[in-house]
Amino acid sequence: MERGLVHRAMSTPVGELGLVASEEGLMRIAFVGDDIPETGVGDDIPETGVGTEAAEQHVYRAIEQLKEYFAGERREFEMDLDHGASGFRAETQLALTGVGYGETVTYTELAAMVGRPRAVRAVASACATNPLPIVLPCHRILRADGGLGGYRGGLDAKRWLLRMEGSLRD
């Protein structure tokens, strides 16, 4: 039996975000204009039947916490996730929560944090495919030379997030 998913969009200072939740938890945050078609859902998110009440609660809890984050009232997220990744990619993406609000680390440092110091490219790939940006804060990961590197939501969004958190100053 396929899980019912709930899809919602929200406006934020870094653009419109598409959120998808299952009855297990939040499973996707996508930037409009990056990888979300007009429907507000990523191409890889299946359109399934009507979402369950649990999925509705997960998506609305995520929206409320994201609003608090963008208002400067929240520094950590407390919500159920339906992450979906496995293996090293999942381990790396979940390790992103170890980089606190207002902090940054390099891809090299993140590779060391997950116990694979030579896997810098794999770590960068895991960050690039993070299904839950902002909640799993891949925007806090920088290149070894201190440059921003890439970001699914664009470099302007990454700069904005880092400035808001106080870890990037002009």
Side-chain angles (χ1 to χ4, degrees), residues 52-98:
T52 65
E53 185 176 329
E56 288 279 352
Q57 290 175 355
H58 289 304
V59 82
Y60 284 114
R61 184 171 189 190
I63 288 171
E64 287 306 309
Q65 289 189 29
L66 285 164
K67 285 179 181 177
E68 292 168 358
Y69 169 79
F70 284 113
E73 300 166 357
R74 175 174 290 277
R75 292 178 171 228
E76 295 179 8
F77 295 97
E78 300 167 4
M79 63 183 77
D80 294 324
L81 304 178
D82 185 359
H83 184 255
S86 61
F88 181 72
R89 184 174 302 261
E91 182 182 350
T92 300
Q93 291 169 351
L94 294 173
L96 292 167
T97 61

Side-chain angles (χ1 to χ4, degrees), residues 84-138:
S86 61
F88 181 72
R89 184 174 302 261
E91 182 182 350
T92 300
Q93 291 169 351
L94 294 173
L96 292 167
T97 61
V99 183
Y101 186 99
E103 299 175 8
T104 59
V105 299
T106 65
Y107 293 103
T108 303
E109 291 169 325
L110 183 59
M113 286 171 58
V114 296
R116 303 263 308 269
R118 297 179 55 120
V120 177
R121 286 186 185 191
V123 162
S125 175
C127 290
T129 58
N130 176 11
L132 294 162
I134 302 170
V135 171
L136 300 179
C138 53

Side-chain angles (χ1 to χ4, degrees), residues 3 7 18 32 35 43 45-46 49 64-66 69 78 124 148:
R3 302 174 293 179
H7 310 177
V32 171
D35 61 353
D43 291 328
I45 301 295
E64 287 306 309
Q65 289 189 29
L66 285 164
Y69 169 79
E78 300 167 4
L148 292 179

